[in-house]
Amino acid sequence: MKWQVEVYEARPDLRLSSSKAAAQQRSINLAISSRGIAALRAVDASAAERFLQTVIPMRGRMIHDRHGNLQSQPYDKDGQCINSIDRSLLNEGLLEEASATPNIRLNFEHKVLSADFDQRVLFLRDGNSGTDVRVKFDLCIAADGSYSIIRRQLMRVVRMNFQQEYIPHEYIELKMPAGHDEHGNPAFLLDPNHLHIWPRHSFMLIALPNKDKTFTCTLFAPTVEFDRLITREDILLWFQNHFPDALSLLGEDKLLKDFEKNPRSPLITTKLTPYHYKDRCVILGDAAHSMVPFFGQGLNCGLEDVRVLLTLLQEEWVVPTRAMPNSGDPESDFIDQRLAKALARYSASRHEDVVAICELAMDNYIEMRHSVTTPVYIIKKALDHLLFSLTARGPTVLSSLGDSLSRIAFPTANPRGWLPLYTMVTFRPDISYATARRKAARQAIILTTMARLGTVGMCATSFYLTWRVLRWLRSQR
């Protein structure tokens, strides 16, 4: 059965040059990793491979301290990487894939005003003509962002538990221009195969590479810190104090223009349940679970929503024909029942995972802007990788998971051996976020105990050696 799909987007076509300039003012570069790639492959493997031609692999974090010293921290012992992808390129690519599909029609500048789910009607405003439009639907799948209108409409018909939190931090996008090589060709000013981080305790700067040899930089800081940066002199002095090496790469004039042109944007976490209404509607992505961007999972989680929902729909459709009811319109009743069951299963099973990654993303902010520079973090990270190396049975290759991921949302319910949290979240789409979080919590207790014992052992060793040295010195008198 092939559905006819109508896509309604409030903004103009993002492929138009007039739309690109505004979109680039507030875009954190996207990091697509195994979960997002697995989801794309589940929908269209060939399209996924086309998207991967536009990415730049990042094999680890590059930490920049206040003195310009660099420290590389690989993401994975087997060299697995996350991938920097330009948001506009991904959006344009997805639109191209959708527009090339015969049963999909794209409608731009159509803003949803309200919805009547019982009557299965959407009310929209056509921005081109200024007229209101009434659209009938069978199933409404909404991915209309953190301030979702469809979510607000769902709240009127379901008992939705809803929690929204703005953290006291904001971000602003900056751009690091390309340099030039000895032949005058564009060249990266930093190693393009790292995610660059300038951690400064309560704030940080990050940089992700682009195909045109530039870096998209994002400054995250408390709102009160941004409020102090009033004049051009304030901005330059602040960067000279905290990011002197980055300032030389960004360029003073370019930095000031970006500060003047690009908006400060808030950071929001949204948690809610359920995500659906009967067999009529389901919300995905930021509409269902906004999260702060510090684990690089916003895009990956949103794409994984699609894969999980697709898996559940396929499971519900694989039923004997005799299960079809005999009353009314048999085919229509059958579809409604299957849809209602699949959507209910989606809400019930997805919520724990979504809450887990929202909270892990907030925890990772503390790690990125501060913990990565501390001795305790470095010791625990070394122990984490050592135990991983001792117990791992070899890398889990994403391509080898294809068949199992198409049948079961998360086939590895009880992962064996020692697995770092980052590895489970980023490189193991066969492990759910909630499972990864529970396993990591158990492992964290062991790591903390080992780190403390190691510290005590080092102190005892230092004390013993000092005592021996003092005895030797006394014997030389």
Side-chain angles (χ1 to χ4, degrees), residues 14 27 41 45 52 123 153 169 179 181 187 244 266 300 366 378 405:
L14 298 177
S27 167
R41 285 178 175 168
L52 290 177
F123 300 92
Q153 297 297 301
H169 297 245
D181 62 18
N300 292 285
I366 300 170
I378 294 170
L405 289 177

Side-chain angles (χ1 to χ4, degrees), residues 322-337:
R322 64 177 178 275
M324 191 180 294
N326 295 319
S327 60
D329 180 346
E331 184 176 4
S332 177
D333 289 348
F334 173 75
I335 292 172
D336 290 349
Q337 288 182 20

Side-chain angles (χ1 to χ4, degrees), residues 250-392:
L250 290 163
E252 292 185 2
D253 290 341
K254 183 71 171 66
L255 170 68
L256 293 172
K257 287 179 182 177
D258 284 343
F259 253 86
E260 291 170 358
K261 179 184 66 174
N262 297 341
R264 286 161 46 179
S265 301
L267 293 161
I268 185 175
T269 296
T270 304
K271 303 172 193 172
L272 59 109
T273 185
Y275 307 122
H276 79 290
Y277 176 61
K278 297 181 178 178
D279 58 339
R280 317 291 169 88
C281 180
V282 62
I283 54 176
L284 308 176
D286 283 352
H289 48 72
S290 303
M291 67 188 73
V292 292
F294 306 118
F295 220 126
Q297 287 298 302
L299 166 67
N300 292 285
C301 183
L303 293 175
E304 186 177 79
D305 288 347
V306 177
R307 182 180 69 80
V308 172
L309 179 59
L310 177 61
T311 301
L312 294 174
L313 287 169
Q314 289 172 336
E315 286 180 13
E316 290 301 328
W317 249 254
V318 182
V319 294
T321 306
R322 64 177 178 275
M324 191 180 294
N326 295 319
S327 60
D329 180 346
E331 184 176 4
S332 177
D333 289 348
F334 173 75
I335 292 172
D336 290 349
Q337 288 182 20
R338 297 296 92 189
L339 271 178
K341 188 175 179 181
L343 299 186
R345 289 180 62 198
Y346 178 80
S347 279
S349 63
R350 193 63 177 151
H351 181 61
E352 185 184 14
D353 290 335
V354 164
V355 170
I357 191 55
C358 284
E359 295 178 356
L360 287 171
M362 194 63 243
D363 293 342
N364 213 45
Y365 185 29
I366 300 170
E367 177 177 314
M368 291 176 70
R369 63 182 164 86
H370 175 59
S371 301
V372 290
T373 63
T374 63
V376 172
Y377 173 86
I378 294 170
I379 291 170
K380 289 172 71 173
K381 205 70 176 175
L383 287 171
D384 203 17
H385 283 291
L386 175 62
L387 292 169
F388 183 29
S389 299
L390 292 174
T391 63

Side-chain angles (χ1 to χ4, degrees), residues 140-208:
C140 172
I141 301 177
D144 54 338
S146 299
Y147 305 100
S148 169
I149 293 172
I150 294 297
R151 183 182 67 219
R152 267 204 321 266
Q153 297 297 301
L154 276 179
M155 288 178 175
R156 302 170 62 184
V157 293
V158 300
R159 295 180 178 179
M160 182 181 290
N161 293 319
F162 177 78
Q163 178 185 348
Q164 177 177 288
E165 178 185 4
Y166 285 94
I167 69 171
H169 297 245
E170 296 176 315
Y171 72 88
I172 186 170
E173 182 179 304
L174 311 170
K175 199 79 168 182
M176 184 181 294
H180 295 90
D181 62 18
E182 63 272 18
H183 305 294
N185 299 316
F188 288 108
L189 292 175
L190 296 170
D191 180 353
N193 298 122
H194 281 82
L195 190 161
H196 294 263
I197 306 176
W198 289 258
R200 299 296 183 262
H201 192 67
S202 63
F203 50 88
M204 71 174 181
L205 178 70
I206 67 171
L208 282 80

Side-chain angles (χ1 to χ4, degrees), residues 19-306:
S19 303
K20 293 179 182 180
Q24 290 174 350
Q25 289 182 350
R26 55 189 312 150
S27 167
I28 300 173
N29 253 37
L30 298 170
I32 188 167
S33 52
S34 296
R35 289 180 187 269
I37 295 168
L40 288 173
R41 285 178 175 168
V43 175
D44 189 329
S46 60
E49 297 311 311
R50 286 193 289 274
F51 285 123
L52 290 177
Q53 299 304 311
T54 68
V55 307
I56 298 176
M58 299 182 293
R59 298 184 179 87
R61 297 168 175 167
M62 185 68 80
I63 308 301
H64 298 246
D65 71 13
R66 292 177 183 274
H67 307 291
N69 300 314
L70 305 179
Q71 181 192 39
S72 175
Q73 297 180 353
Y75 286 128
D76 180 72
K77 70 178 183 65
D78 298 306
Q80 294 186 94
C81 58
I82 63 176
N83 303 282
S84 175
I85 186 169
D86 185 279
R87 183 186 296 264
S88 60
L89 287 178
L90 179 62
N91 284 338
E92 291 167 30
L94 289 171
L95 288 173
E96 289 294 339
E97 296 292 338
S99 62
T101 306
N103 60 314
I104 297 178
R105 189 174 70 171
L106 305 178
N107 302 274
F108 296 101
E109 297 190 67
H110 279 69
K111 181 179 177 61
V112 175
L113 302 176
S114 63
D116 185 332
F117 296 113
D118 291 323
Q119 298 300 316
R120 299 184 194 250
V121 175
L122 286 178
F123 300 92
L124 306 102
R125 173 72 48 80
D126 183 341
N128 294 307
S129 65
T131 59
D132 291 346
V133 181
R134 187 174 181 271
V135 176
K136 295 281 289 182
F137 66 87
D138 295 301
L139 171 65
C140 172
I141 301 177
D144 54 338
S146 299
Y147 305 100
S148 169
I149 293 172
I150 294 297
R151 183 182 67 219
R152 267 204 321 266
Q153 297 297 301
L154 276 179
M155 288 178 175
R156 302 170 62 184
V157 293
V158 300
R159 295 180 178 179
M160 182 181 290
N161 293 319
F162 177 78
Q163 178 185 348
Q164 177 177 288
E165 178 185 4
Y166 285 94
I167 69 171
H169 297 245
E170 296 176 315
Y171 72 88
I172 186 170
E173 182 179 304
L174 311 170
K175 199 79 168 182
M176 184 181 294
H180 295 90
D181 62 18
E182 63 272 18
H183 305 294
N185 299 316
F188 288 108
L189 292 175
L190 296 170
D191 180 353
N193 298 122
H194 281 82
L195 190 161
H196 294 263
I197 306 176
W198 289 258
R200 299 296 183 262
H201 192 67
S202 63
F203 50 88
M204 71 174 181
L205 178 70
I206 67 171
L208 282 80
N210 298 310
K211 281 288 190 178
D212 62 359
K213 313 297 184 183
T214 65
F215 281 84
T216 298
C217 303
T218 310
L219 176 63
F220 299 94
T223 300
V224 293
E225 197 74 39
F226 275 121
D227 288 343
R228 296 191 185 104
L229 306 180
I230 300 171
T231 67
R232 296 165 67 92
E233 291 74 19
D234 293 336
I235 296 168
L236 289 178
L237 181 60
W238 193 77
F239 266 80
Q240 288 164 1
N241 288 336
H242 299 294
F243 309 107
D245 59 331
L247 178 59
S248 66
L249 299 173
L250 290 163
E252 292 185 2
D253 290 341
K254 183 71 171 66
L255 170 68
L256 293 172
K257 287 179 182 177
D258 284 343
F259 253 86
E260 291 170 358
K261 179 184 66 174
N262 297 341
R264 286 161 46 179
S265 301
L267 293 161
I268 185 175
T269 296
T270 304
K271 303 172 193 172
L272 59 109
T273 185
Y275 307 122
H276 79 290
Y277 176 61
K278 297 181 178 178
D279 58 339
R280 317 291 169 88
C281 180
V282 62
I283 54 176
L284 308 176
D286 283 352
H289 48 72
S290 303
M291 67 188 73
V292 292
F294 306 118
F295 220 126
Q297 287 298 302
L299 166 67
N300 292 285
C301 183
L303 293 175
E304 186 177 79
D305 288 347
V306 177

